[in-house]
Structure formats: structure tokens, C-alpha cells
Amino acid sequence: MLTVVIADDEPNILLSLEFLMKKEGHRVFIARDGAEAQELIDAEKPDLLLLDVMMPKMNGHELCRYVRAQPDLNHAKVIFLSARSKEADVQAGYEAGANLYIPKPFSTRDLVSRINQLMKPVG
Amino acid sequence: MNSLTLIVCSLLYLSLLFLIAYWAEHRTHTRRSLVNNPYVYSLSLAVYCTAWTFYGSVGRAVSHGMQFLTVYIGPTLAAPLWWLILRKIIRICKAQRITSIADFISARYGKNRGLGVFVTGLCVAGIIPYISIQIKAIATSFSVLSGQAGNASEGLFLGDQAFYITLVLTIFTILFGARTLEATERHEGLVTAVAFESLVKLVAFVAVGLFVTFGLFNGPTDIFQQARAIPALRQQFTFGPGHTSGDWFWNILLSMVAVLFLPRQFQVAVVENTSEKHLDKAIWLFPLYLFVINIFVLPLAFGGHILLGDLPIDADNYVLALPVQYGREGLALLAYIGGFSAATSMIIVETIALSVMVSNNVVMPFLVSRSNWQNRFGAVSSTFVINIRRLTIVLFLVLAYIYYRTVSQQFSLVSVGLISFAAVAQFTPAIIGGIFWKEGNRAGARLGLYAGTAMWFYTLILPTLVPGLLPPTLLTEGPWGIGFLRPQNLFGQTDLEPLAQGIFWSLLVNVLGYLWGSINRPQSALEHNQAVLFVDIFRLSRSDESSVVWKGKVVVSELQRLLTTFFGADWANRVIERYTSRHAPATPTSYADARLVTYCEKLLAGAIGTASARTLVASIAKEETISVDEVIRILKTSQELLSVNRELKRKSTELEQMAQQLSEANERLQAADLNKAEFLSTITHEVRTPITSVRALAEILYDTPDMNDHSRQQFLGTIIRESERLTRLINQVLDLERFESGRLQLQLEPVLLRDIVRQAIDTIQQLIREKNISITVQHDIPPTPVRADHDRLMQVFINLLSNAVKFCEPNQGRIAVLTSADGPNLIVSITDNGVGIDPAYHELIFDKFYQLHHKTRDKPTGSGLGLAISRKIAELHGGSIRVESQLGQGATFTVRIPVD
């Protein structure tokens, strides 16, 4: 079971991601903006973060850099889910420290299988 | 005609071909491809008609009657099936980057090297004689025309014109077929030249036909009546003893498959194909071509026999001899060039196809399987591959020439051609089974091919060695006197002529071998994977995931190095970069994901064949063993994914249609709008958000059959709301586009603004009541009619009023509407006590998609287009909209409409 923090300012996308992650058996925490997400990160020390890029108060890139700066979150994986899919956007996502950048709209099965692949123990 | 003139003409004609090919290549580089159209494609297919058609059909008609037609009836009957078979083969070859028939069979049966080598070998053995008879045809036609009939191959090696022609053809073939190494293995210059040659031979043949029919005789009736009087001809054209429908059947069947699987046909029909759509036209154009080129065969055969029958002239040469005998030198030259076209196009395409096979399926797999090959050849691989091809081209043409000088003198054009046909017909079970039957496997393909080939050799090739190498008793009494093993009367059958019975036996054992092996032997995982990819190509080819069966670990930089050796550093870098930015990121030192590995393997396969590519990639990969179950699981997943997508697609047809309208609108907008790029990317973003929700929720619903009712209702409700949001967005974009492009005309009529304001308030009454907002309306002027568009102004007021409602606090909101006049303008102002707007944004809010983020946590729910549309409508009326506001102090929107 993983601890997952999901941040997106579209409530309907949150709805679907939350359901999906719970169905996979994870502990799920949701945030409607960057600041809320930051609080959850501090409190819950997630293993996995699913982040929108454009959010009020603190955007996905800033959040991701914040996660990367926490020594006790070394293991955490960050996945961006964004409707911006230009090469430059993808590039910026990875530069911010993401493990995966998945363009919206995404396939839920694909998302789940890529998460499983990502979270598989190394070796 | 003297030999020098002929040589000069031949060389001039070849130079013309050069020019055409060069010009076509040039156009390809400037992206104005000539080859990308169905007519050139159909004409290039006519490489099927070789010197055998041009000269041999007439000869065959004289000696065998109507039977010459079977090789044209076959393709004509089979053409409708192309849509089923050829289209599938083309799709498979494009998806897997297959470049020859040997590659195809090797790839289908688990990228097996041995099969590739065998198929190549059989092609070479079957086709070299076929090439050599083309050389023979050129040499014979040369000597007929230059008046040295009968001694074409006399004299010294170096004194033989055929030798020089072979030499020139070698150079031409190398120049256009083996110049650079490309991942697609297509040669547009060559195809154009071949299409041109098809035209030339058609025109030449028809011209001779017209001359004989109407110049030497009084039309076709005349020829046929005179021919009836000749007993030898009558007998050939009457069905009786010696003619069986069995012969016809087997000949027709043979040519049905030959037109698909001869190396040159595979080259032009599949490898050089630029679009599957071209098939639609080729299906009737190619048979039409065959029909036209055959119209005059009988008149020429009869005419030739009537007029020249008493002279020592081979019926194969009537096409040339008739104009020569009657002093038409120009026409004779044209006929010569026509035959030359027919022979050269065949030689060139066939040789190139064979050379690709040899380099990709024999030499490369052998070399790359050596562990130290990269050290030795690493730096020069692409040149190396090219050089192998050049070498094979030279080798084959030399072999064909030697065969011509030594063996081919004793056979007619048609008989050698048919034996070649029978060789390639052996591929039929492996190919047809391979694309329609998943259980067909390597053991079956091998067994069928070996058995069929052995039978082909025994029944068709052995008899040609009699009486030279073997005693004639072999045919009359059988080997060691065993009668039922006589090659031409195997197991005592006597109903079929030798060729038909050879085809019958070889195909019979081939099919049986294929079936037996496939049913009784197991299939490896890789084989099964390839089988599914081939058979289900139409279901899988849209999906990238279709071939993810590489479980190896390959470092990205290694892959890049491999591509560099064959395609150069620039190209390799570009490929990797493009791939990683589009699909999955990778650094040079990270492991490439399975799709990248598969993708690179396919690129390599295009250049060096599937088996070699597999070996090469395997050499740098630590491949993990993968079980059959795993392959099936992977394939199943991708198939399920496809079916989910189909389901979703069906559900969203309506949305798609709107998206279509939207994109059409976008195209028009592009022309008008300077900020089009930004506008489009914004629209895309705005459209993606609701689509993301709809898709995710719909997929979850689909995948969670046991979901509780509450969640189900919530999900479905959200899907409906998001679809409505999308609809609204699309409608507004369409509106805006109509305004901006000027396609929407205002319906001007006298209206009272106060009436419109009242109706607008009525329309959003529900919203006002829900938030418990008080609204007042005041008129400072008497009712004054203006000419305006009622519905559009209503749209403006509804938009402004609902914005006001949206930004007011519930229960405390107040909205005041005031109508007044200012000189020539009527004014409607709408004031609210909501959150207000910072003056810095007063202009920006009228921009498309500009939305302010407020302190409230909710994202703005509108489309971001309302104010832009409102302003546009006011401007179309000659008026304006402005806003006055301070942050936190409410806002006033003022609409001005001129009175006249």
C-alpha cells in the first residue's frame, strides 16, 4: 500500500484519480491547490505524487522541487499529469525533477500500469 | 538497319531512362513526388509484362493457341483479392519495415535466418534463368533487326552485343538501386523509369498490332478468316485431345500467385508502394493494361504465321520481323525499343530485389552474428551493405549472362518464365497461411518449402537437363527404370502436361507439409508474437503497443551507436531525440524502454533485414527470456485497451463531430488571427480538461462493474456536465469564428433595448434566485427604437448579467441595470457589488480565454470566451463595451449602441 498525494484544481479529475488510486488499494490524500498539497506532503510523507502543473498558489513544478529538496522524501516518485503536451512543457517537467510526465487526456489503465512499473522495486 | 544505329538508339534510350529517373528523384527531394499517385503505381506493376509478353505471347499463341492468355487471366481474376491480400501484406511490411519476400517469410516465422536464406536461394535459382532469357530476348531482337538472324551468340565474348548491354544495365541498376542505404528501401527514380518503360512497351506493341491488322490486312476479320484456312492454326484453337482444362487451371493459378510473389512484383507492389489507397485504382487499371497489351496478340500471331510462316523465322520474333519484312524501319525500331523496355525493366527491378534479399537475408545475418563484426566493419557499415548489393548485382547479371550463353539457347521465353513462376509459387502456403492463420509456424513453413522445392526441382528442373546431363530414359522409363517415378508422369498420372503436373505436385506436398508441421510442431513465443502481429495487423497497426515483446535491457547510447553505424550520427540522434521527447524520456546511460528498442529494431530491419536487425539488437541487449504466457498477456492487454477505446469512441461520436467542426473553424481562424498559435494551444488546453475527466471517469466505469450506485450516479452526472461544458465551449468558439470571419450577418430590425434587457433578466432568473441576489432596473430615457440584432444583443446582456451574478456574494449581491443616452448612442450599464476587477486587467478580460483567478478556491467555470464574444457583437453594431471597476468594489459594464 502506498501513500499517494494527488493535486489538481479540476475537481472532476481529482474525483477520478482518487477513486482509481483507492481502487488500487492505496492511501489517498487530495489537494485542490499547491499550498494544500504542500501541507499534505509535510504531514503524510507520500510515496507517490500525482500533480497537475498549472495550479493556484503553488504550481506543480514548485511542488516537485520542494519534494526533491526534502531529504526524507528521497524515495518519493512524482508524476505530472498535464494538458500541456508540447515538447518544451515535457522537458520543463523533467527538469523540475519528475519521474514521469503523462499528457492529459490519459488512459486510466495506462496510468495504473505505468505507476506499477515505476513503483516496482529496483532489480 | 545497321548495328551502330541500333547501339546508339539503345544507349540513347537508356540515357533517357537515366534522365527520367534522375528527374523523379530530384522531385522527391523537393517533395513533389511523382510516384505518389495510383497511375504511376499501376504502370509500375506492369513490370510484370516482360520480353516474354512482348515477344513470347505471339510465339506461344502460334504454338499453343489460347493458352498464352492464362498468365494474364490469372492476375486479372486475382486482382479483386488484392484488396484482401496485397493490402494486408503492404500494411504488414510498412509496420515491420520488411523489404523483400525473403524478409517477409523470415519475419513471419520468428525472424528466422534459415528461412530467409532458403527463400533467397530459391529466388536466385528460379529467377536467374528468367533474367537470362531477357538478355536473350534483347540479343535476338538486336540480331533480327540488324539482319544477323540466327547467330546472336556466335563470335567472341567481347564481340557480343549482349555482353555490352548487360554491362550497361549493370551500371544503371547499381546507380538507381544501390546508391544509398535507407530505412524504407524505396527508389522513386527507378519506379518512375519503370512506369515510363511500361508505357513505351504498350505503345510499341499496340503500334505494331495496328500496323499489321490494318496496314497489312483489312482489319481483324480479314486476319481471322485467312487464319481459319490454315489447319495447323485451326488445330491449336480447337479444344480437343491434348488440351485439358487442368492445364488451364494450373497455369492460371500459377500466375495468380506469381503476380504477387515474384521478387520484382513484390518490390514494386509492396516495397515501393507509397499509399495503400493506390491499390483501389490499380485493381482495375492493371488488368486493363494486361487487356490492352493482349488485344493484338492473336492478330500478330495469325498475321505472322500467314505472311512469314514459310520463312525460317521463330514465331517469338514476329513482332519485330513483320515491320522489318515490310520495310517499316521506324516501326521496327519502335518495336525494338518496346521489347528493350520490357526486358530492361524486368532485369533492373528483379536484380535489385534479389540484391536486397542477398544482402539483408544472407550476408548481413551471417556477418552480424559474428561477435567481432562491429570492430571490423563498425565504421563503414552502410557503405559495406551497399557494396554487398553492388557486388551481388554484378554477380547476378554475370551469372544470367553466362546462363544465356550456355544453357538458355534451347528454351523458349515462355517455358523458362513459367518454371520461374513455379519456383515463387512455392512461397504461397507460407505467405497466405502466414497472414491468415496464426497457428502456421516455422516448422510447417520449412517443411512445406523444402518439400515443395524438392518436388519443383524433380518435376520441372530435372527434365530440362535431359538430354544434356541426364539420359533421356529418365523421362521415358523413370529413374532406375521405376516407371511411376518418371518426373513428368509422377505416380503414373498422364492427364496433365509436364508443367501443370509439376505445379500440382509441388504445391500439393508444399501445402501438406505446411499444414502437418504447423499442426504437429510447437510455436515459440517470438513466432507466436510475430504470427499475431501479422494476422491481426489491421487491428493492431494503429497501436504502438502492438509489438512490445522486447524484454531485453538495452542502454540507450548503445542503440544510438548501432543506428549511427548504418544511418549516420545526425539521423540517429534525431530519431532517438524525437522518440524520447514524444513517448518516454531517456538519458544516454539509462535503459531504453521496450518500445524504443522495438522501434530501433524496425528501423534497422528496413536497411538490413529483420533477421539481421534482431541479431544485432540482441547482441547489445541482455535479453530476458520471455514466456509464451507473458507474450499472450501483453498482447491481450493491448487488445483490451483497443476495445475500450473503441467503446469510448462509439460513445463520443457526437463529440467528435463537434470537434471536427471546431477544427474546421480553427483552420479558418488561423488565417484571420495573428495570435493563432497561442489561440489554438489555448483551445486545445481548454478542450483537453473536460475530455480528460470524461475519459477517465468513463474508463473507470467501464472497468468497475461492481461500483456502488451512489458513485456510479456521481460519475455519470459528472460525465454529462463535462460534456455540456465541452459543448458550450465548442459552440462559443464556433460563434467567435463566425463573427471574426464575417460569415455571420446581423439580423438588423428595430428593437427596444429595454425589452431585450427584460428578456435577458427573465432568462437567468433561476440563477439570480438561487444566489438570492436583488436586481433593479431603471430607464432614464423614453423607449427609443434602434436597429439591432435582437438575439445577439440578448446574448450580450445574458453574458454580462450572469457574470455579475457569478462574482457577487450570495445573499448580499445587488445588481443595477440602467438604460440611458449619450449623444447618438444608447447606453445599457450593468453594475454589481461583487469582487471587482483590478484596473490592470480591464482590457485583458476581453481577450479570448483570459480568466482571472480569484480568492475563491473554485476555478472559473466559464469558457473564457463570453466577454470576447460580447465585445465583438457590440463592435459589429458599431458600438462598444467598457468596464469600470476597482478591486473589491464591484464593477460596471457599459454597452453602447448607436441609434441609427
Side-chain angles (χ1 to χ4, degrees):
Chain A
M1 187 172 70
L2 304 171
T3 301
V4 185
V5 165
I6 307 171
D8 200 308
D9 57 352
E10 271 291 327
N12 300 325
I13 293 175
L14 273 186
L15 175 69
S16 60
L17 288 174
E18 183 185 14
F19 188 95
L20 199 62
M21 288 300 103
K22 282 189 172 157
K23 193 179 160 199
E24 289 293 303
H26 304 314
R27 283 173 73 216
V28 183
F29 299 91
I30 59 170
R32 301 272 290 265
D33 61 47
E36 221 176 277
Q38 193 179 17
E39 284 171 24
L40 286 175
I41 292 168
D42 288 339
E44 306 294 340
K45 304 293 175 200
D47 309 297
L48 172 66
L49 296 98
L50 305 180
L51 306 179
D52 185 20
V53 173
M54 288 187 296
M55 282 185 294
K57 296 187 186 163
M58 190 167 178
N59 69 30
H61 290 165
E62 289 165 346
L63 265 181
C64 186
R65 286 196 200 95
Y66 177 77
V67 171
R68 293 301 177 225
Q70 308 303 310
D72 55 346
L73 284 177
N74 271 338
H75 67 288
K77 307 281 188 198
V78 176
I79 299 178
F80 280 131
L81 294 163
S82 173
R84 308 177 99 175
S85 55
K86 287 207 209 95
E87 283 178 25
D89 297 321
V90 178
Q91 189 74 28
Y94 285 112
E95 273 165 16
N99 297 85
L100 269 181
Y101 191 105
I102 298 179
K104 288 177 185 170
F106 52 83
S107 142
T108 52
R109 292 182 183 194
D110 183 48
L111 179 66
V112 168
S113 77
R114 290 177 77 170
I115 286 175
N116 290 340
Q117 210 175 353
L118 188 65
M119 305 310 292
K120 220 169 28 187
V122 184
Chain B
M1 200 174 296
N2 83 39
S3 316
L4 192 65
T5 325
L6 272 183
I7 291 172
V8 171
C9 285
S10 308
L11 286 178
L12 278 180
Y13 178 74
L14 279 178
S15 318
L16 179 65
L17 283 186
F18 254 98
L19 276 181
I20 289 172
Y22 184 80
W23 174 63
E25 298 241 311
H26 176 72
R27 295 199 39 137
T28 309
H29 294 312
T30 52
R31 299 195 178 277
R32 291 173 297 155
S33 170
L34 285 169
V35 173
N36 192 7
N37 79 66
Y39 302 101
V40 172
Y41 180 68
S42 305
L43 278 176
S44 72
L45 291 182
V47 72
Y48 182 70
C49 299
T50 62
W52 155 4
T53 304
F54 198 87
Y55 296 121
S57 283
V58 172
R60 188 78 169 175
V62 172
S63 62
H64 287 72
M66 294 298 283
Q67 216 190 60
F68 78 94
L69 268 181
T70 52
V71 284
Y72 310 102
I73 293 173
T76 305
L77 288 178
L81 289 177
W82 291 0
W83 202 79
L84 209 65
I85 296 171
L86 193 52
R87 200 169 64 98
K88 194 165 191 178
I89 294 178
I90 290 175
R91 179 76 68 92
I92 292 167
C93 291
K94 300 282 180 243
Q96 303 245 335
R97 308 233 179 199
I98 287 167
T99 54
S100 70
I101 197 103
D103 216 12
F104 190 92
I105 293 176
S106 139
R108 164 62 179 80
Y109 298 101
K111 308 195 178 180
N112 182 266
R113 209 200 304 168
L115 270 175
V117 173
F118 185 81
V119 172
T120 306
L122 183 55
C123 280
V124 172
I127 303 294
I128 293 277
Y130 195 5
I131 295 178
S132 90
I133 59 168
Q134 306 296 322
I135 297 177
K136 175 184 169 188
I138 296 177
T140 314
S141 66
F142 191 93
S143 56
V144 168
L145 210 52
S146 61
Q148 315 161 349
N151 58 352
S153 59
E154 301 300 314
L156 285 168
F157 198 63
L158 292 175
D160 181 5
Q161 308 92 348
F163 177 74
Y164 295 103
I165 289 165
T166 312
L167 207 65
V168 173
L169 282 177
T170 312
I171 296 168
F172 185 88
T173 310
I174 288 175
L175 272 179
F176 282 94
R179 216 175 33 187
T180 55
L181 190 65
E182 279 172 46
T184 54
E185 211 48 72
R186 289 187 25 225
H187 317 83
E188 299 216 342
L190 180 85
V191 172
T192 315
V194 166
F196 174 75
E197 295 211 274
S198 293
L199 269 185
V200 171
K201 66 194 176 204
L202 184 66
V203 169
F205 195 82
V206 170
V208 177
L210 287 171
F211 163 72
V212 172
T213 315
F214 298 100
L216 300 181
F217 292 86
N218 294 320
T221 330
D222 182 26
I223 298 186
F224 287 114
Q225 273 170 357
Q226 291 197 36
R228 270 184 62 171
I230 300 176
L233 283 181
R234 274 185 70 145
Q235 195 202 332
Q236 285 305 333
F237 286 83
T238 318
F239 277 98
H243 291 92
T244 70
S245 50
D247 296 342
W248 275 66
F249 174 81
W250 290 107
N251 278 327
I252 288 174
L253 187 78
L254 188 61
S255 53
M256 276 178 158
V257 298
V259 77
L260 292 175
F261 304 146
L262 278 170
R264 68 173 187 282
Q265 294 303 125
F266 194 86
Q267 181 78 24
V268 290
V270 178
V271 181
E272 308 281 357
N273 173 282
T274 48
S275 158
E276 281 173 29
K277 286 198 194 105
H278 296 169
L279 264 186
D280 300 349
K281 279 217 169 58
I283 280 177
W284 62 270
L285 271 177
F286 178 61
L288 180 67
Y289 185 99
L290 295 183
F291 174 72
V292 174
I293 207 165
N294 277 301
I295 288 179
F296 288 106
V297 170
L298 286 183
L300 282 172
F302 294 164
H305 194 78
I306 295 163
L307 299 172
L308 311 174
D310 301 333
L311 301 172
I313 294 177
D314 188 349
D316 276 357
N317 295 328
Y318 283 172
V319 180
L320 267 182
L322 281 165
V324 170
Q325 288 291 322
Y326 290 88
R328 299 299 176 100
E329 288 224 326
L331 189 62
L333 187 63
L334 180 64
Y336 166 78
I337 293 291
F340 190 66
S341 293
T344 51
S345 55
M346 181 278 182
I347 296 175
I348 291 165
V349 181
E350 203 83 87
T351 319
I352 288 173
L354 286 180
S355 79
V356 170
M357 269 189 223
V358 170
S359 80
N360 287 5
N361 295 92
V362 180
V363 182
M364 287 315 290
F366 175 76
L367 280 182
V368 299
S369 64
R370 317 251 123 193
S371 55
N372 61 344
W373 79 279
Q374 278 176 333
N375 306 335
R376 224 186 291 166
F377 307 110
V380 287
S381 288
S382 65
T383 358
F384 186 75
V385 177
I386 285 294
N387 281 334
I388 293 175
R389 294 202 188 153
R390 290 176 181 152
L391 204 67
T392 36
I393 289 173
V394 175
L395 184 73
F396 287 154
L397 286 172
V398 167
L399 273 177
Y401 178 76
I402 293 171
Y403 189 92
Y404 150 70
R405 290 283 300 205
T406 54
V407 191
S408 78
Q409 299 302 329
Q410 42 183 313
F411 302 111
S412 78
L413 293 181
V414 174
S415 58
V416 174
L418 284 172
I419 290 174
S420 290
F421 275 26
V424 298
Q426 302 309 321
F427 306 145
T428 315
I431 292 175
I432 300 294
I435 63 176
F436 292 112
W437 189 42
K438 282 178 211 166
E439 278 70 38
N441 67 13
R442 177 160 68 215
R446 236 186 225 159
L447 194 63
L449 267 173
Y450 292 170
T453 305
M455 197 55 99
W456 167 77
F457 185 81
Y458 189 71
T459 55
L460 295 173
I461 297 295
L462 274 191
T464 66
L465 305 177
V466 176
L469 292 170
L470 299 167
T473 51
L474 180 74
L475 299 185
T476 51
E477 288 160 32
W480 306 287
I482 307 172
F484 69 88
L485 287 183
R486 280 175 299 164
Q488 297 186 331
N489 306 85
L490 208 55
F491 307 118
Q493 82 72 42
T494 50
D495 292 337
L496 295 172
E497 64 164 10
L499 180 73
Q501 75 113 25
I503 302 164
F504 168 75
W505 287 118
S506 61
L507 283 182
L508 181 72
V509 297
N510 192 330
V511 169
L512 289 179
Y514 183 70
L515 291 177
W516 191 89
S518 297
I519 290 167
N520 291 307
R521 308 294 305 174
Q523 205 173 27
S524 76
L526 176 63
E527 263 185 273
H528 184 73
N529 180 32
Q530 286 296 100
V532 173
L533 292 183
F534 272 54
V535 175
D536 290 340
I537 183 77
F538 288 118
R539 279 202 284 143
L540 299 170
S541 64
R542 281 197 354 229
S543 154
D544 268 358
E545 280 76 13
S546 63
S547 51
V548 188
V549 192
W550 254 99
K551 278 201 71 190
K553 281 190 166 175
V554 184
V555 181
V556 173
S557 62
E558 291 270 316
L559 268 182
Q560 194 161 350
R561 195 167 57 79
L562 206 56
L563 290 181
T564 305
T565 22
F566 288 94
F567 304 115
D570 286 352
W571 201 81
N573 290 345
R574 260 210 319 279
V575 167
I576 301 265
E577 259 170 38
R578 207 183 314 143
Y579 187 89
T580 50
S581 68
R582 201 172 292 168
H583 298 282
T587 58
T589 50
S590 66
Y591 286 123
D593 75 353
R595 280 187 302 176
L596 178 57
V597 180
T598 313
Y599 179 63
C600 293
E601 190 189 327
K602 275 188 204 157
L603 288 176
L604 283 172
I608 58 171
T610 44
S612 325
R614 174 116 214 143
T615 318
L616 263 189
V617 173
S619 74
I620 60 165
K622 283 170 272 172
E623 192 172 1
E624 294 163 20
T625 48
I626 181 166
S627 70
V628 179
D629 289 346
E630 225 164 339
V631 175
I632 293 169
R633 190 180 56 73
I634 292 167
L635 287 168
K636 261 200 186 136
T637 323
S638 63
Q639 278 169 3
E640 274 166 20
L641 204 74
L642 279 170
S643 73
V644 171
N645 285 345
R646 263 200 293 280
E647 189 69 16
L648 279 173
K649 199 176 165 189
R650 198 172 55 74
K651 281 181 195 156
S652 63
T653 317
E654 203 178 319
L655 284 177
E656 252 178 32
Q657 280 167 352
M658 288 172 112
Q660 175 67 24
Q661 286 179 324
L662 181 67
S663 82
E664 282 167 14
N666 277 342
E667 276 165 26
R668 284 194 288 274
L669 270 177
Q670 277 187 330
D673 201 327
L674 280 173
N675 296 325
K676 59 193 175 189
E678 203 183 346
F679 180 56
L680 281 179
S681 95
T682 317
I683 287 188
T684 318
H685 183 258
E686 291 301 314
V687 171
R688 271 184 189 153
T689 306
I691 286 183
T692 305
S693 304
V694 170
R695 179 174 180 187
L697 294 170
E699 285 186 358
I700 292 175
L701 277 170
Y702 185 86
D703 284 345
T704 319
D706 53 350
M707 189 186 274
N708 69 50
D709 284 343
H710 171 73
S711 301
R712 175 176 296 274
Q713 283 311 104
Q714 188 188 12
F715 279 24
L716 289 171
T718 310
I719 290 178
I720 293 168
R721 273 196 306 282
E722 291 291 275
S723 307
E724 286 167 351
R725 173 174 165 192
L726 201 52
T727 314
R728 224 168 23 241
L729 173 69
I730 291 168
N731 283 338
Q732 289 194 329
V733 172
L734 291 173
D735 265 354
L736 196 63
E737 184 276 333
R738 281 196 213 111
F739 287 129
E740 295 201 338
S741 66
R743 284 196 305 125
L744 194 127
Q745 298 291 316
L746 294 179
Q747 304 291 321
L748 293 180
E749 56 185 339
V751 294
L752 288 175
L753 289 185
R754 58 174 65 189
D755 287 349
I756 303 179
V757 167
R758 190 173 40 75
Q759 289 163 16
I761 293 174
D762 287 346
T763 310
I764 61 159
Q765 200 61 49
Q766 175 78 17
L767 278 178
I768 295 174
R769 234 179 282 139
E770 268 173 19
K771 277 184 105 172
N772 193 17
I773 284 165
S774 73
I775 185 161
T776 58
V777 182
Q778 188 190 336
H779 302 297
D780 277 358
I781 45 161
T784 317
V786 291
R787 284 182 65 73
D789 186 324
H790 175 279
D791 292 349
R792 294 298 158 192
L793 281 189
M794 175 111 147
Q795 195 180 347
V796 172
F797 294 138
I798 289 176
N799 178 250
L800 294 178
L801 284 166
S802 51
N803 275 353
V805 172
K806 200 189 297 175
F807 295 116
C808 279
E809 292 291 314
N811 303 322
Q812 296 161 21
R814 269 179 287 121
I815 296 175
V817 183
L818 177 73
T819 62
S820 57
D822 175 16
N825 297 318
L826 290 189
I827 295 175
V828 178
S829 58
I830 297 170
T831 306
D832 63 62
N833 66 342
V835 293
I837 304 161
D838 189 320
Y841 299 108
H842 283 187
E843 270 311 299
L844 286 174
I845 55 172
F846 289 99
D847 279 357
K848 293 163 212 156
F849 292 118
Y850 190 87
Q851 290 182 319
L852 285 174
H853 286 266
H854 290 273
K855 274 176 278 175
T856 52
R857 293 203 321 183
D858 284 335
K859 241 186 139 171
T861 47
S863 67
L865 288 170
L867 284 176
I869 291 175
S870 297
R871 171 169 270 189
K872 202 77 206 173
I873 292 173
E875 284 171 0
L876 284 173
H877 281 90
S880 65
I881 297 185
R882 279 222 298 279
V883 62
E884 288 164 42
S885 173
Q886 289 295 328
L887 202 55
Q889 296 177 16
T892 300
F893 282 82
T894 311
V895 182
R896 280 160 196 276
I897 303 292
V899 175
D900 51 341

